[in-house]
Amino acid sequence: MIREQIRQGIGAPPTPIVKEGDKVTRGQVIAQNDPEKLSVPLHASVTGVVAKVTEEEIIIDQTSDDMDYVPLEVEGSYSDIVRASGLIGLGGAGFPTYVKMNTQLKPGGYILCNAAECEPVLRHNMEQIEPNPSHLVEAIKLAMESTGAEKGIIGIKLKHKDVIKKLTSTLKEMNEKAVRVLPLRNVYPVGEERALMRDTINVLLPPGALPVEGNAVVFNVETLYAIRDAIVDKKPYIDKYVTIAGKLKDLKKGESAVVHVPIGTPIKVLIDQFGGIDGDIGEILIGGPYTGRRADENAVIDKISGGVTFTDLFDEQPKKLGIIQCACGPLEPRLRQIAESMGSEVVGLQVCKNAHEQKVGYKCQDPGNCPGQAEKVMALKKAGAEAVLIGHCTDCSNTVMGSAPKLGMDVHHATDHVMKTMGLHYIRTFDENLL
Ligand code: SF4
């Protein structure tokens, strides 16, 4: 059984056009978007019979494993085709991709490919590039053609040496001079849109500004592959690459796997596929350790679910905690949720002075370059905190570590239980050799 969510990502949800009992074929439109609104359609990700339509979801009883699909029939611009495919940005909040494809850049503009795969644990982007680097280059060229960009840059962390080599030799074989690979520092959040622009084309936009203001359009790896699938193979966006990690019986400690599953696949199906949950867990985390959300077995994979981790238990810390919120990591509600799971009481909240509040969430002044956190730590100490819980990026974690222990305060990071699950070093004082 597949449960496709009607509201996915940013924009107006599409309207269901199927009813209970209808037979549907994989790739067929099952919810239609309003062409006048910011909205994309939804397609059946499997062939089957519609079991139920609710306000939230369309449930399909799968009757065939056939991976063929009804091809897109739309004529028009690349942006029109991408819109008809139902594609939304797959690395973040799910902004409809057709809008970005419709951007018209000024001369000298860039398509930036975010291949940073910034969140620890997740690896489905690298897994997608490795067997098929030429399709990524093709996709960048299509995006360049659509937006009038003259150059393309693939920003990828230095630690992915093999993938960098592969992409570099692919560009050489294709004799592609307008696209290049640019290694990035091994830090979080170097994949954040404005951080990527700063570190690739040397443009630092103010918080809240869009990349087009710096004459660039940014896509993540998976979105680019899906753009190519839509334009070249006429494929609607119906399957998702997902990193599966943590306490599952068929995964060894620290091991992860990448699956390619129909959108709407329930987490319970993935659990069964990997032999069941192995012992007690802290939580089921959908997304990466920094920006993911807690879910249960009834949740489903939607278009923006990049990973599912079944975590170790939280470290019990029955202390008075002060929390510092960062723009690029978990926000206050998630930090409070983690504190509660640690058995701690929150006695104070501080927000990094580089974090600027937006309509939705926060944006950092200069992502990953920390102004120092001593003042925030001292304020929490004054509020009675015995320890600090942070969700900060690499450099900022360093600065908390530079002050809190001197005041006798332990430091905990929102990702600790995930890093423990995977046998990775806790995020504290940054050391590139630990990567
Ligand atoms: S400077 Fe502050 S807001 Fe920016 S990444 Fe670091 S902790 Fe987060």
Side-chain angles (χ1 to χ4, degrees):
M1 187 179 70
I2 289 292
R3 292 180 19 234
E4 295 207 50
Q5 304 304 292
I6 295 167
R7 177 178 284 283
Q8 301 193 42
I10 291 170
T15 306
I17 55 169
V18 291
K19 58 182 184 329
E20 197 178 317
D22 284 357
K23 286 186 181 158
V24 291
T25 307
R26 185 170 138 87
Q28 172 186 333
V29 174
I30 54 173
Q32 191 65 65
N33 59 302
D34 180 341
E36 302 303 320
K37 291 185 177 159
L38 180 73
S39 179
V40 296
L42 181 69
H43 303 77
S45 62
V46 293
T47 293
V49 177
V50 175
K52 202 171 182 184
V53 180
T54 70
E55 278 189 9
E56 287 83 37
E57 56 187 16
I58 298 174
I59 304 173
I60 303 171
D61 280 334
Q62 187 171 357
T63 54
S64 163
D65 289 334
D66 194 351
M67 294 302 281
D68 279 350
Y69 52 86
V70 180
L72 298 169
E73 278 184 0
V74 63
E75 300 288 333
S77 67
Y78 288 166
S79 170
D80 293 337
I81 299 169
V82 167
R83 183 177 199 182
S85 77
L87 186 58
I88 56 176
L90 304 173
F95 187 77
T97 307
Y98 75 89
V99 179
K100 286 190 181 182
M101 285 293 277
N102 212 10
T103 308
Q104 288 311 304
L105 295 173
K106 293 189 281 229
Y110 287 90
I111 291 297
L112 301 180
C113 166
N114 171 14
E117 195 138 67
C118 224
E119 289 265 16
V121 182
L122 302 189
R123 64 181 183 87
H124 53 282
N125 282 181
M126 293 309 116
E127 199 73 11
Q128 204 175 356
I129 299 173
E130 283 222 59
N132 216 343
S134 63
H135 280 189
L136 182 62
V137 179
E138 275 180 48
I140 293 170
K141 293 292 287 180
L142 291 167
M144 287 167 64
E145 202 182 323
S146 186
T147 58
E150 287 177 13
K151 294 175 193 159
I153 296 179
I154 304 170
I156 180 166
K157 281 185 180 170
L158 201 53
K159 66 179 178 178
H160 299 302
K161 288 197 172 54
D162 292 348
V163 183
I164 291 174
K165 256 192 206 158
K166 213 165 245 185
L167 282 166
T168 310
S169 58
T170 301
L171 288 169
K172 214 170 172 188
E173 280 158 28
M174 295 171 81
N175 197 24
E176 182 48 69
K177 303 262 169 39
V179 181
R180 68 192 172 108
V181 181
L182 208 152
L184 304 169
R185 293 174 299 152
N186 294 324
V187 295
Y188 183 96
V190 81
E192 198 265 354
E193 254 179 8
R194 288 166 41 253
L196 187 70
M197 288 184 68
R198 180 196 61 205
D199 293 352
T200 52
I201 58 172
N202 205 20
V203 172
L204 177 59
L205 294 173
L210 294 173
V212 66
E213 294 170 56
N215 207 19
V217 180
V218 180
F219 296 102
N220 95 323
V221 165
E222 201 181 351
T223 310
L224 280 163
Y225 275 98
I227 288 172
R228 186 206 163 275
D229 287 349
I231 295 171
V232 178
D233 298 334
K234 305 288 174 221
K235 187 180 178 192
Y237 193 69
I238 47 180
D239 298 316
K240 179 86 184 93
Y241 282 90
V242 187
T243 303
I244 307 292
K247 296 184 74 176
L248 290 170
K249 287 186 181 143
D250 291 349
L251 290 178
K252 294 194 192 88
K253 172 88 181 164
E255 201 178 45
S256 61
V258 174
V259 295
H260 193 212
V261 294
I263 286 158
T265 298
I267 301 299
K268 179 78 180 76
V269 169
L270 298 173
I271 293 172
D272 293 344
Q273 195 178 324
F274 285 88
I277 293 177
D278 191 9
D280 293 333
I281 59 168
E283 66 175 354
I284 299 174
L285 181 71
I286 296 193
Y290 272 94
T291 56
R293 63 186 163 88
R294 185 173 295 178
D296 61 30
E297 294 185 10
N298 295 316
V300 298
I301 297 298
D302 64 14
K303 292 180 183 179
I304 57 173
S305 314
V308 187
T309 304
F310 300 83
T311 79
D312 258 331
L313 296 173
F314 288 82
D315 290 333
E316 289 278 321
Q317 297 290 339
K319 298 174 187 162
K320 291 188 169 150
L321 275 189
I323 56 182
I324 312 178
Q325 182 182 279
C326 155
C328 310
L331 299 182
E332 183 191 347
R334 171 70 178 151
L335 288 166
R336 286 189 182 276
Q337 183 183 54
I338 291 170
E340 194 186 336
S341 298
M342 291 163 63
S344 307
E345 180 196 352
V346 175
V347 295
L349 165 73
Q350 292 288 319
V351 178
C352 172
K353 65 180 169 201
N354 256 7
H356 293 253
E357 194 162 10
Q358 309 291 301
K359 262 192 216 152
V360 181
Y362 287 77
K363 288 279 178 195
C364 178
Q365 180 75 33
D366 189 6
N369 288 335
C370 192
Q373 305 286 334
E375 186 192 318
K376 303 290 171 184
V377 173
M378 274 155 64
L380 291 174
K381 176 94 182 167
K382 249 190 194 163
E386 299 165 312
V388 193
L389 173 65
I390 57 172
H392 290 40
C393 66
T394 318
D395 185 34
C396 311
S397 300
N398 276 346
T399 67
V400 175
M401 287 302 292
S403 53
K406 286 183 192 149
L407 295 170
M409 300 164 88
D410 287 339
V411 178
H412 306 281
H413 197 280
T415 59
D416 285 355
H417 62 302
V418 188
M419 303 306 267
K420 179 173 73 166
T421 309
M422 301 306 288
L424 298 170
H425 289 274
Y426 283 5
I427 293 164
R428 295 287 189 278
T429 304
F430 177 55
D431 178 350
E432 193 151 345
N433 296 320
L434 298 179
L435 287 166

